[in-house]
Amino acid sequence: MDNQEVLADMPSNYEELRSSANRNANWRERLSAVEELGKWKNEKSIDILKHRLNTDAVHQVREAAYRSLLALGEDVQMPERHKGELMKDVTKVMVRIKKSLPRDHTFEDFKEKLKKMRIDIYDTYEGDKGEEFDQWLEQKWASLSKR
């Protein structure tokens, strides 16, 4: 976004960008939409960017919204990283998934089932943890109560 022209109109694909910015199970799509909306200085784009800044579970998306809003001249504060669980009842969900697998399942089995059953959780934590996601998830899996 550096040295980029800010446009005052509405993007021709505004509705698509609005939908993408609010797609819960795809942080990369939200990030891309936030970056694109950051090129357009208008009330609707700014509203969406502020919403992502204040509510997105993935820090990278909130940070991109912050940078976009700053570039558009908005008075905003840098978002803090969330501490603790990013989504409600994540541990309970993971325990249920672990218990649904055979006793001798592997971490990879658990990871695949989580991805299949709760892509929203998988995607949110993958986006927030970045390169540390697999290590975090494996530690979480190992710490879940056994049957």
Side-chain angles (χ1 to χ4, degrees):
M1 282 212 10
D2 299 327
N3 300 328
Q4 189 168 289
E5 184 182 350
V6 173
L7 307 165
D9 267 350
M10 289 293 275
S12 60
N13 62 341
Y14 170 77
E15 287 303 320
E16 182 184 323
L17 289 170
R18 184 180 60 77
S19 292
S20 293
N22 292 309
R23 188 135 307 124
N24 283 337
N26 192 332
W27 70 270
R28 286 175 183 85
E29 192 172 336
R30 292 194 311 275
L31 179 63
S32 178
V34 160
E35 290 171 344
E36 182 62 28
L37 286 166
K39 298 173 185 175
W40 300 87
K41 186 172 178 132
N42 61 66
E43 192 177 326
K44 288 184 176 184
S45 292
I46 289 170
D47 285 348
I48 292 171
L49 292 170
K50 284 182 177 178
H51 183 71
R52 288 294 99 207
L53 172 69
N54 294 319
T55 65
D56 206 287
V58 176
H59 188 73
Q60 284 178 260
V61 176
R62 287 195 325 274
E63 209 170 45
Y66 166 76
R67 285 191 310 273
S68 292
L69 287 163
L70 268 186
L72 295 174
E74 294 295 309
D75 182 21
V76 290
Q77 298 299 311
M78 178 69 158
E80 286 187 30
R81 245 187 201 287
H82 290 306
K83 291 173 176 54
E85 287 191 355
L86 302 177
M87 299 174 78
K88 190 176 190 275
D89 297 329
V90 167
T91 301
K92 285 182 188 175
V93 169
M94 289 185 177
V95 166
R96 274 190 230 114
I97 290 172
K98 186 170 184 175
K99 285 182 174 183
S100 75
L101 290 164
R103 195 180 287 274
D104 62 347
H105 73 275
T106 65
F107 165 66
E108 288 301 322
D109 296 333
F110 173 79
K111 182 179 172 184
E112 278 308 305
K113 188 150 188 185
L114 173 64
K115 191 174 185 177
K116 257 188 235 165
M117 294 187 69
R118 291 298 304 266
I119 187 66
D120 58 329
I121 291 173
Y122 186 96
D123 186 77
T124 296
Y125 280 89
E126 180 195 37
D128 194 69
K129 302 292 182 192
E131 291 178 10
E132 298 164 12
F133 173 69
D134 280 345
Q135 181 183 353
W136 170 84
L137 186 60
E138 190 163 5
Q139 287 174 343
K140 189 84 170 160
W141 167 74
S143 74
L144 297 172
S145 60
K146 313 282 188 265
R147 283 207 256 197

